[in-house]
Amino acid sequence: MCRWLVYAGSAIRPEELLYKVDHSLIDQSMHSKLGATTLNGDGFGMGWYDGPRPPGLFRGIGPAWGDRNLRELSEHLESPLFFAHIRASTGSPVQESNCHPFRYRDWLWMHNGEIHGFHQIKRELVLAIEPELFPHLEGSTDSELMFYLALSYGLRDDPIAGVARMVGHVERVAAAHDIRDPMQMTIATSDGEHVWVFRYSTQHQSRSLFYSRRIEALRELYPDNANFRRLSEQTRIIVSEPLGDLPGAWHEVPESACGLVDPGRDFLQDFHPEPV
Amino acid sequence: MCRWLVYAGSAIRPEELLYKVDHSLIDQSMHSKLGATTLNGDGFGMGWYDGPRPPGLFRGIGPAWGDRNLRELSEHLESPLFFAHIRASTGSPVQESNCHPFRYRDWLWMHNGEIHGFHQIKRELVLAIEPELFPHLEGSTDSELMFYLALSYGLRDDPIAGVARMVGHVERVAAAHDIRDPMQMTIATSDGEHVWVFRYSTQHQSRSLFYSRRIEALRELYPDNANFRRLSEQTRIIVSEPLGDLPGAWHEVPESACGLVDPGRDFLQDFHPEPV
Amino acid sequence: MCRWLVYAGSAIRPEELLYKVDHSLIDQSMHSKLGATTLNGDGFGMGWYDGPRPPGLFRGIGPAWGDRNLRELSEHLESPLFFAHIRASTGSPVQESNCHPFRYRDWLWMHNGEIHGFHQIKRELVLAIEPELFPHLEGSTDSELMFYLALSYGLRDDPIAGVARMVGHVERVAAAHDIRDPMQMTIATSDGEHVWVFRYSTQHQSRSLFYSRRIEALRELYPDNANFRRLSEQTRIIVSEPLGDLPGAWHEVPESACGLVDPGRDFLQDFHPEPV
Amino acid sequence: MCRWLVYAGSAIRPEELLYKVDHSLIDQSMHSKLGATTLNGDGFGMGWYDGPRPPGLFRGIGPAWGDRNLRELSEHLESPLFFAHIRASTGSPVQESNCHPFRYRDWLWMHNGEIHGFHQIKRELVLAIEPELFPHLEGSTDSELMFYLALSYGLRDDPIAGVARMVGHVERVAAAHDIRDPMQMTIATSDGEHVWVFRYSTQHQSRSLFYSRRIEALRELYPDNANFRRLSEQTRIIVSEPLGDLPGAWHEVPESACGLVDPGRDFLQDFHPEPV
């Protein structure tokens, strides 16, 4: 299992959310409160958009808490849209090609959760990847495979449908192998303009996912908090577990839901796998 | 491209061949004379047998020449049969799961060369791996894939036939994609008792491969050489390029050949891919 | 802070103590019960004696729990005397030269604890190292520096006196800088024949240290336990915190004590710093 | 020995000089033409200024040619002043704290060369570091030690004098130990506004160093070259060995010289060690 964070809003330095807040993502790498494991020390990654071109990617195989390069980058980069992820391996090797976020052209993808019985059905899932996408698969995780399946099922044209069909496919293959409750996931994906997030598991007991309350509301609640004055009203943060400990700052994403992160057009809706 | 070495004989410390001889394998990692690249700095590995159980494996992603742990192990292990490999990536990531030798149960496998046009045909090759072997594939190289294809084609029952069918399969798939001269390989594989080696390329211009002359012959040639007195008459060394620079110490494995390394039963024979 | 383990007895594979017992050292790297930190993920090391020559050393900068090479070595090595250590950095970089055990010729050294106010007095401590030992200092930790100070103060001739003078020196320098309670340590050191262990802190609230009860006693207590039948009566295990959870299996080393580990000649005695 | 590069001018992405030109710095890591070693694969580093605060630092212990994170950063950062360095160890461990550039507050420092007989005089050199600077020393190289000696001798107030006294000190200590020709160096250092470079060796046979010709002159020589149209007239590049292969593009820094890089105020002058 893993912890992850998406930031979208006015350009900031990632250190604000990775290091400077209470219960920051780096704190969570050592002592997660809500994760399936308290410890997320099996590699990390950051992906950031900084203009009209594919996002940058920085990934490492050591624990995030001790990585000096991550500390440096998070102080020297500025980005209006970035993904950060800390990994707890569920078995696949700790190597950069298994660290999130994964990237395909302009798209980023990261995941918390797992496909139960993955080794039994991996081959069949791999076969469903479009032949021209296949050579881009570099690692050995279920997470990266889910990304390429979703791309094969149309993620770029309709992200919610692409993910719904990917989940439908995984659940169908798992059922044929008598694997119960195969899917456990929270996912974030982006094309650099919008971010989509998903919370779903076959048995409807999904890993936690939260999004930040509107900044205006937080300013009213906490008129003295300097952080809220600095952030623009467009700011959105989505996290596996809350940063800080301010009552009222976070909403939980409902069970079996997905949403678009896009100020003014934000929405949350039910998420249903689509049979394929 | 890469450099590799197999030792079989009385138990020795790997440092003898990795560090102590002239033009040792570690020297070759910096300055190969016969390799397709002079530099083999993209990871390394050692596999060693030490009794009736699967071999040990030590692999690293830095250059072999600077790895202190490899230096320590090669001084403190003793083994009658070991594989050592230094890697020059032909494109796939530098990660432990891409370092040779590869292991499946009692078997080791290592490779120098490449499958031309690999990305075009990788998916089709992956599909030919037996479903129960598939989950063991961990990395992203052509070399590991060739191993699992050979296992799927019967390597464990008949090593030479297994490799011949693997090559036949690769050449057939490549031909269907209009890829010319797909296979370039020298290979070593072992079950812990015997070692088989192969030198082959579709266009019959294969990477170099050498085996050591009989120790008795070398003792006659070099009566003052202490190394040859220490080694038993059962000793066999097979290398991508010669260690040391003693005239007469090495025979070249002929083009399109394969052989069994087993004192008293040694043989070399022509190698032909088998259509599948 | 860190966790460590010394084994002395009949030759075994380190995996027995590193992986196979309950609450093994590798478990402790993720979830220490008695450590100052629960998490010891900042590198690791193993040193092992295997004959009349300097010990082997294997160290890595990732977390021990995910290191495949450590797993392999601990299955394939056999040693009658080995040290294993998992590190939680107190500030110095995570690099191999900062991983325990440290080695000087035949000697190994490992440490749990820290010198408070180290940065203020590091220069003065460094100056007290014998000039001919100085170039061997490779890392930047207080632990390695304590080793070279103890060597400078006669560790090789009289280990207990060497450590007592090292502590005396550190406490004197700290006092001159108005640093209170500078020393916090449990230490193990060996020349390959004997092992000496120390538990001490200036304020007499030292980190935990335990030694295994006599094997004969354990056999009587647990007549059905196969582990105890396999181990020789010479076996001694010293650990930062108990492995397994058998009542009666472990004795605590008393506060401010040191001891020799040597079957038949074992002793424990008070430890007092020696003014220098 | 090593290779290094300084860029100062209008903000560019480091990839232009690290990857995109012929005989780029990354090419040089595999195949240096003028270096003491052809191979510079023992770690790398980049330091970049991006505003009124200490520079960013990214360092790695693998070879630069295969590091994906370096590739990403060099595409996504923009900087008007950066240092890049590829290392060939002369003996000290390959660890991040031994990778150049070194940083102290706003200052960067990198070095090619070595102090001969370093191990004999290291202790005496370490003692000459100012006590308050001492705790900042993290690695074990001669290069970092030279930086802290120069800082101790006034680098921040008068860079040329600080380096001259540092060299004078090293040469005096070496002479007292009967070490001949101790110093071999090319150095770059910066406070974020200016860059100073040095070429010197005790025996006046210093490693190569080059600076780029004025852009206007290059535009006249090569009116069709798009690179020269993009670069501002303020651009200065200083390198261990030339990038590209355009005749007339580079001047050699003379033997025993130092200079200031600052458009309009540039100068080159003789460099003499200062007795201390």
Side-chain angles (χ1 to χ4, degrees):
Chain A
M1 302 300 163
C2 315
R3 301 285 83 182
W4 60 251
L5 172 159
V6 174
Y7 172 87
S10 41
I12 64 166
R13 295 189 184 129
E15 66 169 339
E16 298 290 335
L17 304 180
L18 267 56
Y19 296 91
K20 290 196 166 175
V21 296
D22 289 335
H23 202 52
S24 70
L25 195 71
I26 300 302
D27 285 345
Q28 294 180 21
S29 71
M30 290 182 275
H31 306 292
S32 162
K33 292 172 184 170
L34 302 181
T37 56
T38 57
L39 182 53
N40 297 276
D42 300 328
F44 62 86
M46 183 162 64
W48 69 99
Y49 294 92
D50 56 6
R53 52 181 174 155
L57 212 52
F58 175 67
R59 305 193 288 188
I61 59 175
W65 65 76
D67 196 274
R68 294 185 169 203
N69 288 323
L70 178 62
R71 191 85 181 84
E72 293 284 322
L73 292 183
S74 75
E75 285 173 34
H76 284 271
L77 294 175
E78 278 203 355
S79 169
L81 175 49
F82 60 86
F83 281 36
H85 189 278
I86 50 179
R87 187 170 176 243
S89 170
T90 54
S92 41
V94 179
Q95 56 195 27
E96 282 180 23
S97 61
N98 284 348
C99 291
H100 310 222
F102 301 100
R103 177 180 62 193
Y104 176 74
R105 299 195 178 161
D106 289 338
W107 288 76
L108 289 177
W109 172 279
M110 63 186 174
H111 168 234
N112 171 34
E114 65 178 319
I115 295 177
H116 296 120
F118 180 54
H119 280 296
Q120 290 169 255
I121 59 174
K122 183 175 183 179
R123 183 173 177 276
E124 210 162 326
L125 297 180
V126 163
L127 304 197
I129 294 175
E130 274 190 16
E132 63 270 34
L133 290 171
F134 185 86
H136 296 275
L137 204 67
E138 281 202 331
S140 55
T141 60
D142 48 3
S143 307
E144 186 195 20
L145 184 44
M146 289 162 67
F147 182 27
Y148 282 95
L149 278 176
L151 285 165
S152 300
Y153 275 120
L155 180 77
R156 283 165 289 176
D157 294 325
D158 182 342
I160 291 174
V163 172
R165 287 179 209 130
M166 177 274 286
V167 176
H169 182 85
V170 171
E171 292 187 336
R172 184 173 56 71
V173 172
H177 285 76
D178 290 324
I179 296 166
R180 293 186 54 182
D181 299 328
M183 184 58 85
Q184 176 61 262
M185 69 181 213
T186 66
I187 282 173
T189 189
S190 177
D191 61 357
E193 291 196 42
H194 303 102
V195 178
W196 293 264
V197 298
F198 302 82
R199 182 183 183 210
Y200 175 77
S201 59
T202 312
Q203 62 175 153
H204 304 299
Q205 298 186 8
S206 304
R207 303 283 173 232
S208 60
L209 191 64
F210 296 85
Y211 62 100
S212 56
R213 207 167 165 186
R214 286 173 46 247
I215 293 292
E216 306 96 293
L218 289 169
R219 284 191 191 133
E220 281 173 35
L221 262 173
Y222 300 99
D224 298 333
N225 188 306
N227 285 319
F228 298 139
R229 283 200 298 272
R230 271 186 302 168
L231 293 174
S232 80
E233 293 182 10
Q234 318 303 320
T235 297
R236 300 291 184 277
I237 307 174
I238 305 98
V239 289
S240 296
E241 62 183 84
L243 313 175
D245 53 3
L246 289 184
W250 300 91
H251 295 288
E252 189 165 16
V253 173
E255 179 61 56
S256 303
C258 63
L260 172 71
V261 178
D262 185 8
R265 294 177 49 213
D266 287 329
F267 65 78
L268 262 180
Q269 64 182 41
D270 288 350
F271 175 81
H272 302 289
E274 189 173 315
V276 286
Chain B
M1 302 300 162
C2 314
R3 303 285 81 184
W4 60 252
L5 171 160
V6 174
Y7 172 87
S10 41
I12 64 166
R13 296 191 182 127
E15 65 169 342
E16 298 290 334
L17 304 180
L18 267 55
Y19 295 92
K20 290 195 166 176
V21 296
D22 289 336
H23 202 53
S24 70
L25 195 70
I26 300 302
D27 285 346
Q28 294 180 20
S29 71
M30 289 183 274
H31 306 292
S32 162
K33 292 171 184 169
L34 302 181
T37 55
T38 57
L39 182 54
N40 297 275
D42 299 328
F44 62 85
M46 184 162 64
W48 69 99
Y49 294 93
D50 56 7
R53 51 179 174 156
L57 212 51
F58 175 68
R59 303 193 289 188
I61 59 174
W65 64 76
D67 196 274
R68 293 184 170 204
N69 288 323
L70 178 63
R71 190 86 181 83
E72 293 284 321
L73 292 183
S74 75
E75 285 173 34
H76 284 272
L77 295 174
E78 278 204 354
S79 170
L81 176 48
F82 60 86
F83 281 35
H85 189 278
I86 50 179
R87 185 168 177 244
S89 169
T90 54
S92 41
V94 178
Q95 55 194 29
E96 283 180 21
S97 62
N98 284 348
C99 291
H100 311 223
F102 302 100
R103 177 179 63 190
Y104 176 74
R105 299 194 178 163
D106 289 337
W107 287 77
L108 289 178
W109 173 278
M110 63 186 173
H111 169 233
N112 172 33
E114 64 178 319
I115 296 177
H116 296 120
F118 180 54
H119 279 295
Q120 290 169 255
I121 60 174
K122 182 174 184 180
R123 184 173 177 277
E124 210 162 326
L125 297 180
V126 163
L127 302 198
I129 295 175
E130 273 188 16
E132 63 269 34
L133 290 171
F134 185 87
H136 295 275
L137 204 67
E138 282 201 332
S140 54
T141 60
D142 48 3
S143 306
E144 186 194 21
L145 184 43
M146 289 162 67
F147 182 27
Y148 282 95
L149 278 176
L151 286 164
S152 300
Y153 275 119
L155 180 78
R156 282 165 290 176
D157 295 322
D158 182 342
I160 292 174
V163 173
R165 286 179 210 128
M166 177 273 286
V167 176
H169 182 86
V170 171
E171 292 188 335
R172 185 174 55 72
V173 172
H177 285 77
D178 289 324
I179 296 168
R180 294 186 55 181
D181 298 328
M183 184 59 85
Q184 175 61 263
M185 70 182 212
T186 67
I187 282 173
T189 189
S190 177
D191 61 357
E193 292 196 42
H194 303 100
V195 178
W196 292 265
V197 297
F198 302 83
R199 182 183 184 210
Y200 175 77
S201 59
T202 312
Q203 61 174 152
H204 304 300
Q205 297 185 8
S206 304
R207 303 284 172 230
S208 60
L209 192 64
F210 296 85
Y211 61 101
S212 57
R213 207 167 165 185
R214 288 173 45 245
I215 293 292
E216 306 98 293
L218 289 170
R219 284 190 190 134
E220 282 173 34
L221 262 173
Y222 300 98
D224 298 334
N225 188 307
N227 284 319
F228 298 140
R229 284 200 298 272
R230 271 187 300 168
L231 293 175
S232 81
E233 294 182 8
Q234 318 302 321
T235 297
R236 301 291 184 276
I237 307 173
I238 305 97
V239 289
S240 297
E241 61 183 85
L243 312 175
D245 53 2
L246 288 184
W250 301 92
H251 295 288
E252 189 164 17
V253 174
E255 178 61 56
S256 301
C258 64
L260 172 71
V261 178
D262 185 9
R265 294 178 50 214
D266 287 329
F267 65 77
L268 262 180
Q269 65 182 41
D270 288 351
F271 174 81
H272 302 290
E274 190 173 315
V276 287
Chain C
M1 302 299 162
C2 315
R3 301 285 82 183
W4 60 252
L5 172 160
V6 174
Y7 172 86
S10 41
I12 65 166
R13 295 189 184 127
E15 66 169 340
E16 298 290 335
L17 304 180
L18 266 56
Y19 295 91
K20 289 195 166 176
V21 297
D22 289 335
H23 202 53
S24 69
L25 195 70
I26 301 301
D27 285 344
Q28 294 180 20
S29 71
M30 289 182 277
H31 306 292
S32 161
K33 293 171 184 170
L34 303 181
T37 57
T38 57
L39 182 53
N40 297 276
D42 299 327
F44 63 86
M46 182 162 64
W48 69 99
Y49 293 92
D50 56 6
R53 53 181 172 153
L57 211 52
F58 176 67
R59 306 194 287 188
I61 59 175
W65 66 76
D67 196 275
R68 295 185 168 203
N69 288 323
L70 178 63
R71 191 86 182 81
E72 293 284 321
L73 292 183
S74 75
E75 284 174 34
H76 285 271
L77 294 175
E78 278 202 355
S79 169
L81 175 49
F82 59 86
F83 282 35
H85 188 279
I86 50 178
R87 186 168 177 244
S89 170
T90 53
S92 41
V94 179
Q95 55 195 28
E96 284 181 19
S97 62
N98 284 348
C99 290
H100 311 223
F102 302 99
R103 177 180 62 191
Y104 176 74
R105 298 194 179 161
D106 289 337
W107 288 75
L108 289 178
W109 173 278
M110 62 185 174
H111 168 233
N112 172 33
E114 64 177 319
I115 296 177
H116 297 121
F118 180 54
H119 279 295
Q120 291 169 255
I121 60 174
K122 182 175 184 179
R123 184 173 177 276
E124 209 162 327
L125 297 179
V126 163
L127 303 198
I129 295 175
E130 273 189 17
E132 63 270 34
L133 290 170
F134 185 86
H136 295 275
L137 204 66
E138 281 201 333
S140 55
T141 60
D142 48 3
S143 307
E144 186 195 21
L145 184 44
M146 288 161 67
F147 182 26
Y148 282 94
L149 278 176
L151 286 165
S152 300
Y153 275 120
L155 180 78
R156 283 166 290 177
D157 295 323
D158 183 342
I160 292 174
V163 172
R165 287 179 209 128
M166 177 273 286
V167 177
H169 182 85
V170 171
E171 292 188 336
R172 185 173 56 72
V173 171
H177 285 76
D178 289 324
I179 296 167
R180 293 187 54 181
D181 298 329
M183 184 58 85
Q184 176 61 263
M185 70 182 212
T186 66
I187 281 173
T189 189
S190 176
D191 62 357
E193 291 196 41
H194 304 100
V195 177
W196 292 265
V197 297
F198 302 82
R199 184 184 181 208
Y200 175 77
S201 59
T202 312
Q203 61 174 154
H204 304 299
Q205 297 186 8
S206 304
R207 302 284 171 231
S208 60
L209 192 63
F210 297 85
Y211 62 100
S212 56
R213 207 169 164 182
R214 287 173 45 247
I215 292 292
E216 305 98 292
L218 290 170
R219 284 189 190 132
E220 282 173 33
L221 262 173
Y222 300 98
D224 298 334
N225 188 307
N227 285 318
F228 299 140
R229 283 200 299 273
R230 270 187 301 167
L231 293 175
S232 80
E233 294 181 9
Q234 318 302 321
T235 296
R236 302 290 184 276
I237 307 174
I238 304 97
V239 289
S240 297
E241 62 183 86
L243 312 175
D245 53 2
L246 289 183
W250 301 92
H251 295 288
E252 189 165 17
V253 174
E255 178 61 56
S256 303
C258 63
L260 173 71
V261 178
D262 186 9
R265 295 176 49 212
D266 286 330
F267 66 78
L268 261 180
Q269 65 182 41
D270 289 351
F271 175 80
H272 303 289
E274 190 173 315
V276 289
Chain D
M1 301 301 163
C2 315
R3 302 283 81 183
W4 60 251
L5 171 160
V6 174
Y7 172 87
S10 40
I12 65 167
R13 294 189 184 129
E15 65 169 341
E16 298 289 335
L17 304 180
L18 267 55
Y19 296 90
K20 290 196 165 175
V21 295
D22 289 334
H23 202 52
S24 71
L25 196 70
I26 300 302
D27 285 344
Q28 294 180 20
S29 72
M30 290 183 275
H31 306 292
S32 162
K33 293 172 183 169
L34 302 182
T37 56
T38 57
L39 181 54
N40 297 275
D42 299 327
F44 62 85
M46 183 162 63
W48 69 98
Y49 293 92
D50 57 5
R53 51 180 174 156
L57 212 52
F58 175 67
R59 304 192 289 187
I61 59 175
W65 65 75
D67 196 274
R68 293 184 171 206
N69 288 324
L70 178 63
R71 190 86 182 82
E72 293 285 321
L73 292 183
S74 75
E75 285 174 34
H76 284 271
L77 294 175
E78 279 203 354
S79 169
L81 175 49
F82 59 87
F83 282 35
H85 188 279
I86 50 179
R87 186 169 176 242
S89 170
T90 54
S92 41
V94 178
Q95 55 195 26
E96 283 180 21
S97 62
N98 284 348
C99 290
H100 310 223
F102 302 99
R103 177 180 63 193
Y104 176 75
R105 299 194 177 162
D106 289 337
W107 288 78
L108 290 177
W109 172 278
M110 63 185 173
H111 168 233
N112 172 34
E114 64 178 319
I115 296 176
H116 296 120
F118 179 55
H119 280 295
Q120 290 170 255
I121 59 174
K122 183 175 183 179
R123 184 173 178 276
E124 209 162 326
L125 297 180
V126 163
L127 303 199
I129 294 175
E130 274 189 16
E132 64 269 34
L133 290 171
F134 185 86
H136 295 275
L137 204 67
E138 281 200 332
S140 55
T141 59
D142 48 3
S143 306
E144 186 195 21
L145 184 43
M146 288 162 67
F147 181 27
Y148 281 95
L149 277 176
L151 285 165
S152 300
Y153 276 120
L155 180 77
R156 284 166 287 176
D157 295 324
D158 182 342
I160 292 175
V163 172
R165 286 179 210 129
M166 177 273 286
V167 176
H169 182 85
V170 171
E171 292 188 336
R172 183 173 57 70
V173 171
H177 285 75
D178 289 325
I179 297 167
R180 292 187 55 182
D181 298 328
M183 183 59 84
Q184 175 62 262
M185 70 181 213
T186 66
I187 282 172
T189 190
S190 177
D191 61 357
E193 291 196 43
H194 303 101
V195 178
W196 292 265
V197 298
F198 302 82
R199 184 184 182 208
Y200 175 78
S201 60
T202 312
Q203 60 174 153
H204 303 300
Q205 298 186 7
S206 304
R207 303 284 172 230
S208 60
L209 191 64
F210 297 84
Y211 62 100
S212 57
R213 206 166 165 186
R214 287 174 45 247
I215 294 292
E216 306 99 292
L218 290 170
R219 283 188 191 136
E220 281 174 33
L221 262 174
Y222 300 98
D224 299 333
N225 188 306
N227 285 318
F228 299 140
R229 282 199 300 271
R230 272 187 300 168
L231 293 174
S232 80
E233 293 182 10
Q234 318 302 321
T235 297
R236 301 290 184 276
I237 307 174
I238 305 98
V239 288
S240 297
E241 60 184 87
L243 313 175
D245 53 3
L246 289 184
W250 301 93
H251 296 286
E252 189 165 17
V253 174
E255 179 61 57
S256 303
C258 64
L260 172 71
V261 178
D262 187 8
R265 294 177 50 213
D266 287 328
F267 65 78
L268 262 180
Q269 65 182 42
D270 288 351
F271 175 80
H272 303 288
E274 190 173 315
V276 286

